[in-house]
């Protein structure tokens, strides 16, 4: 009897293995008994030995105890059910063993229990076979003989190599035949060593039936009996082709990146998470003078970071530790003590989602900074040379312009007058070109500075339109502008540069438009509490621009093609300067165009709001206009929409008519109107003819008529028709409202011309002769002032700063100086002081011109010696009033 306690799980497995082995003895014993009985041999040990020695089949049968023992061992490890069963079996065996000693009746129960175990073993074997035949690997059993003949191979061999199990088992040396030639010697040597070591592990290539080469991992263990006798090889073949391919690619990538690291001209260093150097490339060694052996294991900051920069460098490293990428410029110290300008990159090294280190890159900027400084010096020298040349050219040109002005003021015959005007016009054109070049050189040299002064947006746009109005009128082009709701009326910024951009775009629009219209529109978007992004658009109906040439527009000294330069002239700098100015004002510029249809140039700027004064209070909603019916007759859709928009905002009831006959039909149908605005230039029936027909039925006191005409229209053309007022294009809201209000309220008798036309009457210059010197550095302001003066009948000379003004006074006398206040080299206040000192008895009258100034500025300029004051943008009324106060100097 056994008093041993219940065995552990391991002992249960060993018990099942022993039971399987004992049960397996039945097969060789039964086979021997059957063979002895069948051959009628004596049952002796000698007979048994002869049978076993003479029949190899008995060797295989003798393996049954071992196979069943292994099977029992596996079964014992596979499930709790067999574990419990083995415990029960052990107990039953113990009980039945005791019972057999006591009585033979227990034999039947023992046999029954053994049958149960046999069934369990068969079930376990089936499960084991199912498991083996479904795992993604080949399981095999080989004899431990010299040739390792196969005992068992799982069916996966066919999917793996294309050979059946029978072929693999029965073809001698098939495995050796399929070995890759490059692996054969090595693998066979490993196989020989494995017989001595009892373990085989190798990776090699085999040739499949279809010609492919695959990689296999072969792991086998020599199973021995308790006495140490080899029983069989138990092994597994695993397809590792994909793994090998990945390993190969990884190795290639590693070699690639190692090579890239070695040949990379940028200094690269790797750190661990303690900021210690783990490796560096040759570029790092060359840049800083350290070898890799000198710095590995040391802190990077202690090696190359100057003492005063270490705190900042430590912050950089901390950022990288938190997963951020660092990009900075700085100085790092080489081994010999030199400080090197470098561009620094720092980034975390992450593997499988975990940060394992830091990589640092140092790009030597020494040569780049030297080249940059040389380029900046060269650009500065070029720009300064260009500016100096422009100045030197403009000085004699100023004399040409001045002397031509004097020549034009003397008695000349028609031919001489034409020659002199040609010289003056050509000089003006050359002056504009030089001014463009000077502006461009200022921008290139970084000397262009933006001013910040309050200005009215409508004044800026109207002044720009006034400057191109004459040219547009010569071509019969309509000019218009519209400011959308929500645009602040008064802003703070550089009105001069904004106007310069608008004039450039408007001048181009007039230059490249033969018929139709040019419209300026403005909208705004609030970006901060007092900051707006203004969007300006200048739309024309001109020749358009081909899509493949749009990229040339904003390049310096470039136009769409050379033919336009020949036909229209120009330096090609206008749009380049405009682009730079817009960018300086925080915006951008672009164009949309269609050949034969027209172009729209758009740009944005950022500007802050300024407090509007009572000057614009009249643009509210006057009660006198509320409910008044207005007839608008114009063939231009844009002009009609602008007029309707403004008048409807003032409470009027506008009605549009696209032609004279359409307007007459409205009147014939009995519609009544309080006012009518008629465009002068319309097809089929012009405004003058339409006005004559209307006044045959409706006298001026019944239906007042307002003529909408282009700049320069003469009074004698309309003697036969009585107009209540005249309006010039482009339509100005303040002027329009003032005219409409005065007519409705009947504050003034109907007149032949409005103040605007009187302001532009050239007779003023002939009746009130003055020698005028304009001192202004900005080319746009020069253009505005010169054209306004020309419209008033004056030909002014131009100086670009106070020094040039003093030189001009040395050459000749002037009655009036229009003096800008802020100028380079010598400003207006300083120039005024010099003039007063040099010419105490015959000093000209000096009129200050400056931007929309603050309260008290007028008094300050008068105290500085100036005689009068005009604010920018210059208004014609103020200019006329200031000129009328001037008197020519008496003869010396």
């Amino acid at each position: 009897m056994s008093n041993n306690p219940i065995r552990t799980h391991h002992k249960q497995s060993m018990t099942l293995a022993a039971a399987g082995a004992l049960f397996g003895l039945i097969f060789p014993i039964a086979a021997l008994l059957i063979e002895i009985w069948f051959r009628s041999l004596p049952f002796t040990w000698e007979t048994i030995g002869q049978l076993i020695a003479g029949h190899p089949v008995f060797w295989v049968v003798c393996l049954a105890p071992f196979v069943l023992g292994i099977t029992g061992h596996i079964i014992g490890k596979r499930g709790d059910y067999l574990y419990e069963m083995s415990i029960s079996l052990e107990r039953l065996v113990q009980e039945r063993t005791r019972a057999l000693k006591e009585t033979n009746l227990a034999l039947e129960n023992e046999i029954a229990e053994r049958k149960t175990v046999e069934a369990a073993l068969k079930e376990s074997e089936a499960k084991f076979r199912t498991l083996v035949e479904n795992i993604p690997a080949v399981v095999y059993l080989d004899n431990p003989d010299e040739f390792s003949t196969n005992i068992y191979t799982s069916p996966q061999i066919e999917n793996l190599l294309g050979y059946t199990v029978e072929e693999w088992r029965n073809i001698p040396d098939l495995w050796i035949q399929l070995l890759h030639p490059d692996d054969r010697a090595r693998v066979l040597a490993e196989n020989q060593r494995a017989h001595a070591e009892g373990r085989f592990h190798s990776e090699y290539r085999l040739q499949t039936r279809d010609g492919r080469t695959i990689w296999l991992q072969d792991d086998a263990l020599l199973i021995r009996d308790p006495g140490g006798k080899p029983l069989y090889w138990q092994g597994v073949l695993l397809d590792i082709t994909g793994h090998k391919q990945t390993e190969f690619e990884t190795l290639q990538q590693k070699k690639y990146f190692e090579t890239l690291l070695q040949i990379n001209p940028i200094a690269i260093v790797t750190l661990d998470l303690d900021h210690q150097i783990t490796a560096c490339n040759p570029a790092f060694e060359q840049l800083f003078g350290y070898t890799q052996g000198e710095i590995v294991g040391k802190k990077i900051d202690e090696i190359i970071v100057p003492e005063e920069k270490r705190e900042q460098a430590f912050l950089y490293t901390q950022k990288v530790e938190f997963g951020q990428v660092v990009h900075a410029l700085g100085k790092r110290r080489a081994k010999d003590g030199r400080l090197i300008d470098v561009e620094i990159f720092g980034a975390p090294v992450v593997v499988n989602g975990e940060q394992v280190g830091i990589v640092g890159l140092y790009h030597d900027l020494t040569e780049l900074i030297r080249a940059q400084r040389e380029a900046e010096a060269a650009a500065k020298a070029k720009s300064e040379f260009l500016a100096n040349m422009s100045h030197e050219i403009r000085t004699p040109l100023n004399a040409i312009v001045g002397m031509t002005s004097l020549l034009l003021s003397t008695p000349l015959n028609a031919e001489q007058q034409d020659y002199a005007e040609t010289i003056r016009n050509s000089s003006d054109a050359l002056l504009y070109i030089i001014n463009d070049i000077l502006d461009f050189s200022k921008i290139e040299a970084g000397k262009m500075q933006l001013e910040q002064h309050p200005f009215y947006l409508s004044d800026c746009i109207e002044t720009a339109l006034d400057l191109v109005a004459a040219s547009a009128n010569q071509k019969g082009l309509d000019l218009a502008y519209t400011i959308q709701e929500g645009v602040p009326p008064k802003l703070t910024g550089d009105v001069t540069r904004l106007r310069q951009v608008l004039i450039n775009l408007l001048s181009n629009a007039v230059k490249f438009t033969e018929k139709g219209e040019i419209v300026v529109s403005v909208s705004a978007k609030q970006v901060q509490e007092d900051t707006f992004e203004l969007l300006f658009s200048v739309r024309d109906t001109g020749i358009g621009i081909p899509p493949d040439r749009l990229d040339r527009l904003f390049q310096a000294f470039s136009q769409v093609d050379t033919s336009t330069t020949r036909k229209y002239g120009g330096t090609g700098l206008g749009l380049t300067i405009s682009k730079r100015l817009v960018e300086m004002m925080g915006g951008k510029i672009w164009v949309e165009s269609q050949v034969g249809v027209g172009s729209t140039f758009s740009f944005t700027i950022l500007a802050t709001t300024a407090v509007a004064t009572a000057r614009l209070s009249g643009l509210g909603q006057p009660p006198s206009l509320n409910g008044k019916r207005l007839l608008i007759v114009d063939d231009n859709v844009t002009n009609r929409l602008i007029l309707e928009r403004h008048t409807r905002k003032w409470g009027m009831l506008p009605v549009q008519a696209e032609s004279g006959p359409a307007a007459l039909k409205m009147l014939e149908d009995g519609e009544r109107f309080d006012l009518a605005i008629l465009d002068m230039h319309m097809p089929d029936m012009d405004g003058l003819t339409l006005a004559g027909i209307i006044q045959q039925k409706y006298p001026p006191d019944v239906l007042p008529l307002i003529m909408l005409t282009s700049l320069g229209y003469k009074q004698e053309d309309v003697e036969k028709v009585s107009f209540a007022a005249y309006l010039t294009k482009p339509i100005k809201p303040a002027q329009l409202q003032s005219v409409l209000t005065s007519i409705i309220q009947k504050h003034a008798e109907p007149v032949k011309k409005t103040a605007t036309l009187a302001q532009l009457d050239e007779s003023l210059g002939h009746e009130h002769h003055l020698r005028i010197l304009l001192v202004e550095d900005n080319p746009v302001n020069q253009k505005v002032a010169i054209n306004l003066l020309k419209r008033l009948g004056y030909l002014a000379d131009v100086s670009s700063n106070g020094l040039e003004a003093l030189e001009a006074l040395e050459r000749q006398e002037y009655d009036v100086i229009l003096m800008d206040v802020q100028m380079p080299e010598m400003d207006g206040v300083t120039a005024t002081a010099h003039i007063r000192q040099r010419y105490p008895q015959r000093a000209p009258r000096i009129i200050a011109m400056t931007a929309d100034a603050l309260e008290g500025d007028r008094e300050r300029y008068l105290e500085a010696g100036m005689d009068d004051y005009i604010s920018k943008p210059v208004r014609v009324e103020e200019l006329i009033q200031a000129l009328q106060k001037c008197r020519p100097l008496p003869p010396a």
Side-chain angles (χ1 to χ4, degrees), residues 67-68 162 190 233-234 305 308 362 442 575 740 771 834:
V67 173
L68 293 178
E190 290 174 351
W233 285 98
Q234 178 179 295
V305 180
E308 64 276 10
Y362 300 89
K442 284 181 179 179
L575 289 178
L740 293 174
R771 293 167 297 178
H834 282 284

Side-chain angles (χ1 to χ4, degrees), residues 39 45 51 83 92 112 118 211 251 315 318 363 371 387 462 484 508 517 601 623 645 709 712 819 826 866:
R39 297 176 60 178
W45 290 109
L51 288 174
Y83 170 68
L92 289 174
E118 181 180 358
L251 182 61
L315 293 177
Q318 278 191 322
H363 181 205
E462 289 172 6
Q484 303 294 330
N508 280 344
E517 63 183 15
F601 283 83
R645 177 186 166 209
T709 182
M819 181 76 75
M826 181 181 288
M866 298 180 177

Side-chain angles (χ1 to χ4, degrees), residues 492-679:
T492 298
D494 195 326
V495 63
T496 302
R497 296 305 177 187
L498 174 59
R499 187 165 55 240
Q500 181 177 356
V501 175
L502 286 171
I503 290 173
N504 275 334
L505 298 182
L506 286 167
S507 299
N508 280 344
V510 172
K511 184 188 299 184
F512 297 108
T513 303
E514 298 301 327
K515 62 180 180 178
E517 63 183 15
I518 299 170
V519 181
V520 179
S521 61
V522 188
S523 62
K525 178 178 68 175
Q526 189 171 9
V527 293
Q528 291 182 2
E529 182 178 356
D530 60 346
T531 304
F532 286 77
E533 182 184 66
L534 274 67
L535 172 61
F536 294 82
S537 296
V538 178
R539 176 177 58 83
D540 64 58
T541 55
I543 60 176
I545 305 167
D548 59 337
R549 296 180 181 176
L550 288 174
D551 56 344
R552 303 184 189 179
L553 283 176
F554 301 103
Q555 297 177 8
F557 307 103
S558 175
Q559 289 191 333
V560 172
D561 60 44
T562 55
S563 63
T564 59
T565 304
R566 293 197 180 110
K567 181 176 180 180
Y568 299 104
T571 63
L573 283 176
L575 289 178
T576 303
I577 294 171
S578 298
K579 180 177 183 292
R580 301 286 184 88
L581 292 176
V582 165
E583 290 172 349
M584 291 174 67
M585 289 185 279
K588 59 181 180 178
I589 188 169
W590 67 94
V591 62
E592 298 171 355
S593 184
Q594 186 175 349
V595 176
V597 177
S599 304
T600 300
F601 283 83
S602 303
F603 68 93
T604 60
I605 65 167
L606 293 177
T608 56
T609 57
V611 179
T613 63
R615 196 187 78 158
L616 290 183
S617 60
L619 290 183
Q621 190 172 4
S624 59
L625 299 183
N626 192 42
K628 301 299 182 182
R629 287 176 56 81
L630 173 66
L631 176 61
I632 302 170
V633 188
D634 196 330
D635 63 306
N636 186 284
V637 177
T638 303
N639 284 341
R640 295 202 307 268
L641 290 175
I642 291 174
L643 286 168
E644 179 179 359
R645 177 186 166 209
H646 288 311
T647 55
R648 191 176 296 280
K649 184 170 60 177
W650 300 330
M652 302 187 74
L653 303 175
V655 178
Q656 296 185 29
E658 69 278 6
S659 65
L664 292 175
K665 186 175 186 309
M666 290 181 185
L667 293 171
E668 291 171 359
D669 291 342
E671 293 197 45
R672 294 290 179 263
F673 298 96
D674 300 292
L675 287 165
I677 298 177
L678 313 180
D679 183 35

